[in-house]
């Protein structure tokens, strides 16, 4: 799986959009970009994933650059409850050879300021 | 409610004792995983299982053992051979559809302290 690079921490004002960047310059053509978040002392929570098109769900939007070397997770109206560590992960779909685990780096600690 | 349960939330053991962490899922997922998290670090894969009666070592399997006798259950035993067992342990599950992308669902975690 390709490696990702994220800033260690970011601040965002409550009510504003939080934009979390992720670089994955060695991503392969069949690898998806996943985002998870982990609120302190809880299990990670899946947010969104995409291959090359932009994606949106009830939690967030995912913008992937045309060359797929970077992406941005957007939380449109951040609340205090969005304070968490956000992980960007790239992973190929199940090839049938094994359901190996996700590779989590240190992620970005997003702090929402009141 | 469908989901993953881990018990207990906090566990304390004396050094030299084996301890088993429970993980149960009712999502009908084929694959299950165990991760370990140390303070300020990301998750590291201990073991995973694609199907009942089959499991594979992850990146840090030494000192751990697992079983997968039922689809719903994937218990992890932390043995006395694990040198630094104090950590936050997370269980996850996912469906398996060849050629498709899928997300993993995580349990709430068990915080193990060994003294």
């Amino acid at each position: 799986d390709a490696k990702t690079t994220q800033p260690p921490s970011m601040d965002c004002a409550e009510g504003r959009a939080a934009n979390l960047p992720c670089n994955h310059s060695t991503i392969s053509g069949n690898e998806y970009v996943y985002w998870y978040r982990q609120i302190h002392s809880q299990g990670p929570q899946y947010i969104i994933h995409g291959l090359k098109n932009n994606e949106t769900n009830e939690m967030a939007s995912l913008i992937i650059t045309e060359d797929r070397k970077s992406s941005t997770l957007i939380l449109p109206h951040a609340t205090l409850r969005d304070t968490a560590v956000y992980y960007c992960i790239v992973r190929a779909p199940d090839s049938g050879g094994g359901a190996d685990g996700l590779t989590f780096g240190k992620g970005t600690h997003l702090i929402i300021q009141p | 409610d469908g989901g993953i349960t881990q018990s207990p939330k906090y566990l304390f053991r004396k050094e030299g004792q084996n301890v088993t962490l429970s993980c149960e899922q009712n999502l009908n997922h084929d694959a299950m995983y165990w991760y370990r998290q140390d303070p300020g670090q990301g998750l590291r894969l201990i073991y995973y299982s694609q199907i009942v009666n089959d499991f594979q070592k992850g990146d840090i399997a030494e000192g751990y053992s697992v079983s997968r006798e039922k689809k719903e259950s994937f218990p992890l035993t932390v043995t006395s051979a694990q040198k630094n067992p104090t950590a936050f342990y997370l269980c996850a599950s996912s469906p398996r559809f060849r050629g498709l992308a899928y997300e993993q669902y995580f349990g709430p975690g068990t915080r193990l302290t060994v003294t």
Side-chain angles (χ1 to χ4, degrees), chain A residues 14-34:
Chain A
E14 189 177 17
R16 304 295 294 269
N19 296 277
L20 291 90
C22 179
N23 285 320
H24 31 79
S25 58
T26 60
I27 192 169
S28 299
N30 68 338
E31 285 182 317
Y32 284 73
V33 179
Y34 288 81

Side-chain angles (χ1 to χ4, degrees), chain A residues 73-95:
Chain A
L73 179 74
I74 301 173
L75 307 180
H77 305 287
T79 70
L80 298 178
R81 287 182 292 182
D82 291 322
T83 292
V85 178
Y86 287 76
Y87 297 98
C88 170
I89 298 163
V90 293
R91 189 170 187 277
D94 182 8
S95 62

Side-chain angles (χ1 to χ4, degrees), chain A residues 4-103:
Chain A
T4 62
T5 304
Q6 300 177 252
S9 65
M10 293 181 62
D11 288 349
C12 179
E14 189 177 17
R16 304 295 294 269
N19 296 277
L20 291 90
C22 179
N23 285 320
H24 31 79
S25 58
T26 60
I27 192 169
S28 299
N30 68 338
E31 285 182 317
Y32 284 73
V33 179
Y34 288 81
W35 283 84
Y36 286 76
R37 73 179 182 183
Q38 187 176 23
I39 295 169
H40 183 63
S41 294
Q42 297 183 22
Q45 176 189 24
Y46 164 79
I47 301 173
I48 198 167
H49 74 278
L51 184 62
K52 50 186 173 183
N53 297 324
N54 298 338
E55 302 287 345
T56 296
N57 63 20
E58 64 279 3
M59 289 183 68
S61 294
L62 173 60
I63 308 297
I64 302 174
T65 57
E66 194 168 341
D67 64 7
R68 301 206 330 118
K69 293 185 177 183
S70 66
S71 60
T72 301
L73 179 74
I74 301 173
L75 307 180
H77 305 287
T79 70
L80 298 178
R81 287 182 292 182
D82 291 322
T83 292
V85 178
Y86 287 76
Y87 297 98
C88 170
I89 298 163
V90 293
R91 189 170 187 277
D94 182 8
S95 62
D100 54 326
L102 299 169
T103 301

Side-chain angles (χ1 to χ4, degrees), chain B residues 51-101:
Chain B
I51 199 167
V52 174
N53 293 323
D54 180 72
F55 47 84
Q56 307 294 328
K57 293 181 179 181
D59 300 320
I60 55 165
E62 186 175 350
Y64 300 97
S65 65
V66 294
S67 63
R68 187 86 187 276
E69 296 177 3
K70 298 186 301 181
K71 188 175 185 177
E72 304 79 23
S73 178
F74 191 40
L76 173 75
T77 297
V78 184
T79 75
S80 56
Q82 168 50 234
K83 291 182 172 28
N84 298 295
T86 294
F88 189 42
Y89 290 88
L90 289 153
C91 179
S93 72
S94 69
R96 289 197 65 225
F97 301 103
R98 185 170 180 164
L100 297 180

Side-chain angles (χ1 to χ4, degrees), chain B residues 6-18:
Chain B
Q6 291 185 244
S7 59
K9 189 170 177 63
Y10 299 96
L11 192 54
F12 298 88
R13 279 294 182 271
K14 295 288 188 187
E15 193 173 335
Q17 294 179 332
N18 291 354

